[in-house]
Amino acid sequence: MQLHRLTLTNVRSISDVSVEFGENITIISGPNEVGKSTLIEAFDELISTKSRSAKRTIRDMQPVGKDVGPRVEAVFTIGGRKVRYVKQWLKDEETVLEFLDRSEDTVTGDAAHDRATALWADMDETLWEASRILQGVAISNAALDESRALRAALDSQAGRAANLNDDEGDTIVDRVRDEVAKYYTPSRKSFTKDTTEVANRKEEAARDLAEAQSELRALEDLMDEADRAKERAASALADLTRAKAEVARLSEETETAQEAAEAVEEARRGLADATRDREEAQRRQTERTELVSALAEIQAELDNTETELTAAQEARDAAKMKNDEADTASTAAEDAAEAATAALEAARRRERRTMRARELAELGDRIALADRLDEEIAQLRAVEQAVSAAQAKKIEKLATELAVEEKVAGRAPSIALTGLATGDILIDGESRTLSEGHTDERQLTDPLDIEVPGRLRITVDPGTRSSENKEITALRRKLDKALKTVNAASVDEALELRAADEERERKLAEKESERSRVFSSAKDADETSCRERLLVLRAEAGEPAEDAEEDVASIEDLEKLAEQTAKELSTARAALTRQGKKLEEATRTYAIVETRLESKRREAEKAEEKLARAREVADDEQLAEQLTAATTEAEAATKRLEAADEAFEEVGGTGAIKALDSARINCEGLADIHATHDKKYTQCEAQLQALKKDEIQRRYDQALVDDEAADRAWTSLAGRARAAKLLEEVLLDKQAAARARYVAPLREKINELGRRAMRNESFAVDIDDSLTIAARELDGVRVRFDQLSTGAQEQLAILTRIAVGSLVGSDGGVPIMLDDTLGHSDPERLRQVTEVLGQQTDCQIIILTATDRRFAMIPHATRISL
């Protein structure tokens, strides 16, 4: 399968994006949250989810706050068919499958979804899932043994060397698998539906038998329980008859004691009544005493509160007088402070006018200096550089090398041209300006033409020595070319031009430094602020004087006076505040005491009213008489109870009555026991009559027969299932041994890529029968895959997918998708892996990354920026 184009419209944060994928490597870059991973997720929904679906993953694709339908369109080749597949969800649902090779008609709706699903079913889904390394998903050491495309590629590489790996061997294994499949599910961990039904029938027959046995056992238990209940009811009836006779005998013996006991109880009730009357009289007497005492206490507190109120009123009046005095003093101090502050402010205004005049003059001089320096700097910058430092260095280096070469080779013929007057000449056809008094000296290695235009031409031939040193000739040509670049006739002239440039640069640097210091003070570092300040000062300079010149005290004296009056005002205000607080406290104290006095008065009135109402019911003397009478009656009742107790003990006392009570209680308990057992027997008899004994026995016999038949059927089926499974295990073990031989091509491909990436021939991997990397060996150290670092696991995962893609090829393969990978790799490992990625041409690779420079070393990639 190969992906050509993917277009997303109204998918999450993506309004409209179309991505064209290259045949080999496509790198899609963009910042996080731009929608790179959304491309893969949207393609998955296109393949798997019908357009009328509204499941959560589809709703999550809809842009937030927009009532639009997510739309995904993809163009891809699968099974040799190039198609365009479109779906839109939630709004205006649509499904279109178009065959771009015109091999079939375009289909829409559910028919399009079903046809696309059928096309997708022919693809190797194991390889499709294993070829991804996605952001936010743990790095997987994918098991590839279920990949049809990879197995076919490995079989082809290995030449199907073993019998069980050829067509006939596969047929044998498949037949055995088909036989096992009759009994077990594909995982071989559980039975198939048919086998499970046989096992379930056996278990159901066993359950039916157990239920029938339980019913039969329950019937027998019920019959036993009825017999036991009948025997216990008869025994309890005999015990009850004997207990009733004992109660009749004891009743006759305790008749006299019962009469005496009733007399004791009557005397006890009389004593209780007398005691209650005495306690009630005592309570009323105590309440009267407490009322009188409470009224006396309240009256004493009322007197004290009235005295306290008088003292609080006097304190409040004194505090108010002092507060008024402090207020007067504060007002006078405030007037004095205001006058002193006004005088100080007038003096400061005069001083500020003087300071502004000085500042105006200083700023005017500084800005004028800055403007003059700006003009000078502009003039220096306007002069173009004649010779750069690099050019001068290059000319000096060439001149030095030429001099060394000439010294080594022996002095060659030379010619010196001295200007008698400034003018132009031609040297080998190139125009030169020869200044008056300037000499141009040259070594002659080749013939040289010198021409004074319109007057003279001289040809100088150095002879055979001109070809003796090609290095000198090359150096001189380079030197001439360098001199021509800077429009200099000689090395000295070029150096003089460079010196003039350096002098100008020095002056420019000095002027710029001086210019930077003009506004470098911390007070006015901002030039714009200075210029704005100058305009303000010039505008203010035209304002009339605020005060006429007059003899006034100095600012220092005025400041001292203002400070002194401010302190006096602060002191006066502090005193006023203190007196105000004292007045407030005294006023608050007076209000509290006044409120408490009023409360005490109301409390005294209530106590007097309560005592008066109580005395209306009974005065103090009546209460005392009632208490005396109740006490006398309680003492008489006590004596009557003592006499009744003595009479009761003389006729047998509590012993006889307790014996009778115990006999009666025993009789009641035996009656309850008899009733319980008799009721239980009646219930058992009713249940036995409701049950059909013959029907229960018949069901048990039938369940026993069914259980034996189901057990025989299961035993036969289980035997066949075990035999088939054992044969399958034997054949698969033999096939696994053969398959180990064709694992080698995958292992060798991964080893080849790893050695190339890490440039280390010791790199090797172990691959188990499920085509999963078990361990990696490097420099003689073997480490299990799950113990490797995250970066190493990620690199192996990428190398494995590249190896699989290379073995399978573009026809049977799928795109390798790498989403935000290699973030855990150091720069060297990153370079190694990206080099390997860039060398792949056998499969399609799609790289999604937020850091495009991470894959900058991959050549010839299709690069897309989101």
Side-chain angles (χ1 to χ4, degrees):
M1 192 278 262
Q2 189 167 31
L3 190 57
H4 305 297
R5 185 176 70 247
L6 185 60
T7 302
L8 273 62
T9 305
N10 296 324
V11 177
R12 294 181 183 163
S13 61
I14 297 175
S15 296
D16 190 3
V17 167
S18 184
V19 176
E20 295 282 349
F21 298 94
E23 293 184 0
N24 185 212
I25 299 179
T26 301
I27 300 175
I28 302 175
S29 62
N32 291 329
E33 306 300 330
V34 78
K36 300 184 297 299
S37 300
T38 301
L39 294 172
I40 300 176
E41 296 170 7
F43 184 75
D44 287 342
E45 294 294 348
L46 172 68
I47 297 301
S48 62
T49 307
K50 290 187 175 182
S51 60
R52 63 172 179 270
S53 174
K55 65 180 184 179
R56 183 182 60 79
T57 56
I58 295 298
R59 296 195 306 273
D60 289 346
M61 287 172 58
Q62 187 176 36
V64 177
K66 293 185 179 180
D67 189 19
V68 294
R71 179 183 177 87
V72 180
E73 176 182 335
V75 176
F76 54 93
T77 298
I78 183 169
R81 316 287 293 279
K82 188 174 183 180
V83 300
R84 184 179 73 91
Y85 194 22
V86 182
K87 274 186 185 171
Q88 180 165 322
W89 296 269
L90 301 180
K91 299 282 290 186
D92 302 325
E93 292 89 351
E94 179 185 15
T95 305
V96 177
L97 179 64
E98 178 184 1
F99 291 86
L100 300 180
D101 57 2
R102 307 300 180 187
S103 59
E104 294 184 32
D105 293 335
T106 299
V107 287
T108 60
D110 286 349
H113 177 83
D114 295 340
R115 184 68 185 97
T117 301
L119 285 173
W120 196 262
D122 294 334
M123 195 194 69
D124 191 336
E125 290 197 27
T126 298
L127 191 59
W128 168 251
E129 294 296 331
S131 296
R132 304 181 180 194
I133 301 179
L134 301 182
Q135 181 181 9
V137 179
I139 298 172
S140 62
N141 186 9
L144 298 164
D145 57 337
E146 295 298 326
S147 170
R148 301 190 305 272
L150 180 58
R151 288 175 60 188
L154 292 176
D155 284 341
S156 176
Q157 290 279 335
R160 305 184 67 87
N163 290 336
L164 286 179
N165 275 345
D166 58 18
D167 293 339
E168 183 178 355
D170 285 344
T171 301
I172 295 173
V173 174
D174 290 342
R175 289 177 179 175
V176 174
R177 282 177 172 168
D178 292 342
E179 180 64 22
V180 176
K182 296 178 182 178
Y183 311 110
Y184 297 96
T185 60
S187 66
R188 302 302 188 257
K189 294 181 179 179
S190 58
F191 293 116
T192 62
K193 180 179 179 181
D194 293 340
T195 307
T196 302
E197 288 180 355
V198 176
N200 291 341
R201 284 197 295 273
K202 176 183 180 303
E203 294 178 358
E204 185 178 355
R207 285 195 299 271
D208 292 343
L209 177 60
E211 290 176 0
Q213 288 175 334
S214 178
E215 288 182 352
L216 185 60
R217 191 178 299 110
L219 177 63
E220 294 172 349
D221 292 343
L222 184 59
M223 294 173 65
D224 293 341
E225 188 175 0
D227 292 341
R228 288 192 299 272
K230 183 177 180 181
E231 293 176 359
R232 291 172 180 172
S235 175
L237 180 60
D239 292 339
L240 177 60
T241 301
R242 289 191 295 272
K244 287 181 177 179
E246 179 66 14
V247 168
R249 183 184 65 79
L250 291 174
S251 296
E252 294 176 358
E253 294 178 355
T254 59
E255 184 176 354
T256 304
Q258 189 68 38
E259 293 175 355
E262 291 175 358
V264 170
E265 186 62 28
E266 180 66 23
R268 186 173 286 112
R269 286 194 295 270
L271 177 59
D273 293 340
T275 302
R276 280 194 301 272
D277 292 342
R278 182 184 62 184
E279 291 175 351
E280 177 63 20
Q282 183 65 50
R283 183 186 64 76
R284 289 195 296 270
Q285 181 68 30
T286 301
E287 287 181 353
R288 180 64 52 81
T289 302
E290 290 176 351
L291 283 174
V292 173
S293 177
L295 180 59
E297 290 178 0
I298 292 172
Q299 189 62 48
E301 291 177 0
L302 182 60
D303 295 340
N304 292 336
T305 304
E306 288 176 345
T307 303
E308 186 178 353
L309 180 64
T310 301
Q313 184 175 3
E314 293 174 354
R316 183 190 65 179
D317 295 341
K320 186 176 186 309
M321 183 181 298
K322 290 183 179 180
N323 185 72
D324 293 342
E325 294 173 355
D327 186 30
T328 302
S330 175
T331 302
E334 186 174 357
D335 294 340
E338 288 178 355
T341 301
L344 176 60
E345 184 60 30
R348 283 176 174 168
R349 284 196 297 271
R350 287 190 295 276
E351 183 181 41
R352 284 196 295 272
R353 286 198 298 274
T354 303
M355 295 301 295
R356 281 198 298 270
R358 293 176 184 172
E359 185 181 1
L360 176 60
E362 191 273 335
L363 280 177
D365 294 342
R366 184 180 298 186
I367 291 173
L369 175 60
D371 293 341
R372 180 176 59 79
L373 289 173
D374 287 340
E375 291 178 1
E376 294 175 358
I377 289 171
Q379 292 173 359
L380 290 172
R381 287 177 175 171
V383 179
E384 294 185 358
Q385 187 182 60
V387 181
S388 67
Q391 290 172 330
K393 184 176 181 181
K394 180 179 179 181
I395 290 171
E396 284 186 315
K397 181 180 178 183
L398 288 172
T400 301
E401 291 177 353
L402 180 60
V404 171
E405 288 294 332
E406 289 174 345
K407 185 175 181 180
V408 173
R411 182 159 183 84
S414 64
I415 186 170
L417 303 175
T418 302
L420 300 178
T422 301
D424 294 334
I425 63 173
L426 296 177
I427 299 177
D428 282 343
E430 295 181 1
S431 179
R432 294 282 190 274
T433 299
L434 188 61
S435 304
E436 181 180 356
H438 181 74
T439 300
D440 183 358
E441 185 174 354
R442 298 168 177 260
Q443 296 292 328
L444 294 177
T445 57
D446 290 316
L448 181 68
D449 288 334
I450 303 171
E451 179 181 351
V452 179
R455 298 179 62 188
L456 178 67
R457 175 183 292 169
I458 301 172
T459 300
V460 182
D461 190 349
T464 57
R465 296 186 62 182
S466 62
S467 60
E468 291 177 357
N469 193 331
K470 295 181 179 180
E471 183 65 27
I472 293 175
T473 301
L475 287 173
R476 178 159 293 281
R477 288 177 178 172
K478 291 180 180 179
L479 180 59
D480 290 342
K481 184 178 180 181
L483 290 172
K484 183 179 179 181
T485 301
V486 298
N487 293 322
S490 65
V491 174
D492 292 339
E493 183 180 353
L495 296 179
E496 288 173 0
L497 292 173
R498 178 58 197 159
D501 286 340
E502 290 177 348
E503 177 62 20
R504 181 179 56 77
E505 291 171 356
R506 182 187 65 76
K507 290 181 180 179
L508 178 61
E510 290 177 353
K511 295 298 181 182
E512 288 177 340
S513 176
E514 184 179 359
R515 177 65 172 81
S516 67
R517 292 195 299 273
V518 172
F519 299 98
S520 62
S521 64
K523 180 180 178 181
D524 51 13
D526 185 358
E527 180 179 349
T528 302
S529 299
C530 288
R531 292 184 181 273
E532 292 175 353
R533 177 62 177 165
L534 178 62
L535 295 176
V536 173
L537 290 174
R538 285 175 176 172
E540 292 177 351
E543 295 176 358
E546 298 177 359
D547 298 311
E549 293 294 334
E550 58 182 10
D551 294 333
V552 295
S554 67
I555 291 179
E556 184 178 356
D557 293 339
L558 291 174
E559 286 177 343
K560 290 181 180 178
L561 178 60
E563 182 179 357
Q564 180 180 353
T565 56
K567 289 181 179 178
E568 291 174 354
L569 175 60
S570 177
T571 301
R573 285 177 174 173
L576 178 60
T577 300
R578 289 194 300 272
Q579 291 303 326
K581 290 181 179 179
K582 289 181 180 179
L583 175 59
E584 182 181 353
E585 181 63 26
T587 303
R588 183 167 55 252
T589 301
Y590 177 80
I592 292 171
V593 175
E594 187 178 29
T595 301
R596 191 165 66 249
L597 176 62
E598 184 63 27
S599 175
K600 288 297 180 182
R601 285 173 179 169
R602 288 195 297 271
E603 188 177 354
E605 291 175 357
K606 291 180 180 179
E608 290 175 351
E609 292 175 359
K610 186 175 181 181
L611 179 59
R613 287 196 300 271
R615 283 175 173 169
E616 289 176 359
V617 176
D619 58 23
D620 297 346
E621 293 180 359
Q622 289 175 337
L623 288 179
E625 292 174 357
Q626 291 174 1
L627 177 60
T628 301
T631 302
T632 302
E633 177 58 25
E635 292 173 352
T638 301
K639 291 179 181 179
R640 287 194 296 271
L641 177 60
E642 292 174 353
D645 284 336
E646 291 177 359
F648 177 65
E649 292 299 330
E650 289 177 357
V651 295
T654 57
I657 295 176
K658 287 181 179 180
L660 178 61
D661 291 340
S662 297
R664 286 174 176 169
I665 293 171
N666 183 51
C667 187
E668 292 173 357
L670 290 173
D672 291 340
I673 293 172
H674 173 262
T676 299
H677 292 307
D678 188 61
K679 182 180 179 180
K680 184 65 176 178
Y681 172 71
T682 302
Q683 291 174 345
C684 290
E685 283 295 317
Q687 291 176 3
L688 287 172
Q689 291 177 5
L691 293 176
K692 298 179 180 179
K693 299 180 182 179
D694 295 340
E695 181 64 22
I696 292 174
Q697 183 64 47
R698 187 194 64 76
R699 283 200 299 270
Y700 171 74
D701 294 339
Q702 183 61 45
L704 184 62
V705 172
D706 292 344
D707 179 67
E708 291 175 352
D711 186 65
R712 287 193 298 272
W714 168 246
T715 301
S716 175
L717 182 64
R720 294 196 302 274
R722 285 193 296 271
K725 187 177 181 183
L726 178 61
L727 178 58
E728 181 189 42
E729 291 172 353
V730 172
L731 292 177
L732 289 178
D733 287 344
K734 185 176 180 181
Q735 189 181 47
R739 283 184 61 193
R741 288 175 238 175
Y742 73 77
V743 171
L746 178 60
R747 181 176 59 251
E748 290 305 318
K749 189 64 178 178
I750 296 175
N751 287 342
E752 174 193 345
L753 294 173
R755 290 164 187 169
R756 191 192 314 163
M758 299 187 180
R759 297 179 182 177
N760 191 329
E761 292 300 320
S762 68
F763 177 91
V765 295
D766 292 344
I767 300 181
D768 58 22
D769 292 344
S770 64
L771 303 183
T772 300
I773 293 180
R776 184 206 68 187
E777 184 174 335
L778 192 65
D779 294 330
V781 178
R782 185 177 181 276
V783 182
R784 291 205 320 266
F785 181 87
D786 58 356
Q787 294 177 342
L788 291 170
S789 67
T790 303
Q793 288 183 351
E794 187 176 49
Q795 292 155 11
L796 282 180
I798 292 174
L799 293 178
T800 300
R801 284 152 177 82
I802 294 174
V804 171
S806 178
L807 289 171
V808 172
S810 59
D811 294 337
V814 297
I816 298 173
M817 294 189 179
L818 308 178
D819 186 3
D820 200 17
T821 54
L822 297 176
H824 302 283
S825 299
D826 56 71
E828 179 60 21
R829 288 284 177 86
L830 177 62
R831 182 187 61 78
Q832 295 168 354
V833 176
T834 53
E835 281 185 3
V836 172
L837 280 171
Q839 296 167 0
Q840 302 311 305
T841 59
D842 298 331
C843 53
Q844 186 181 31
I845 300 175
I846 298 173
I847 299 174
L848 308 174
T849 179
T851 311
D852 53 355
R853 64 177 180 276
R854 188 181 297 168
F855 301 94
M857 295 181 62
I858 298 179
H860 312 302
T862 300
R863 298 182 182 272
I864 299 170
S865 178
L866 295 182

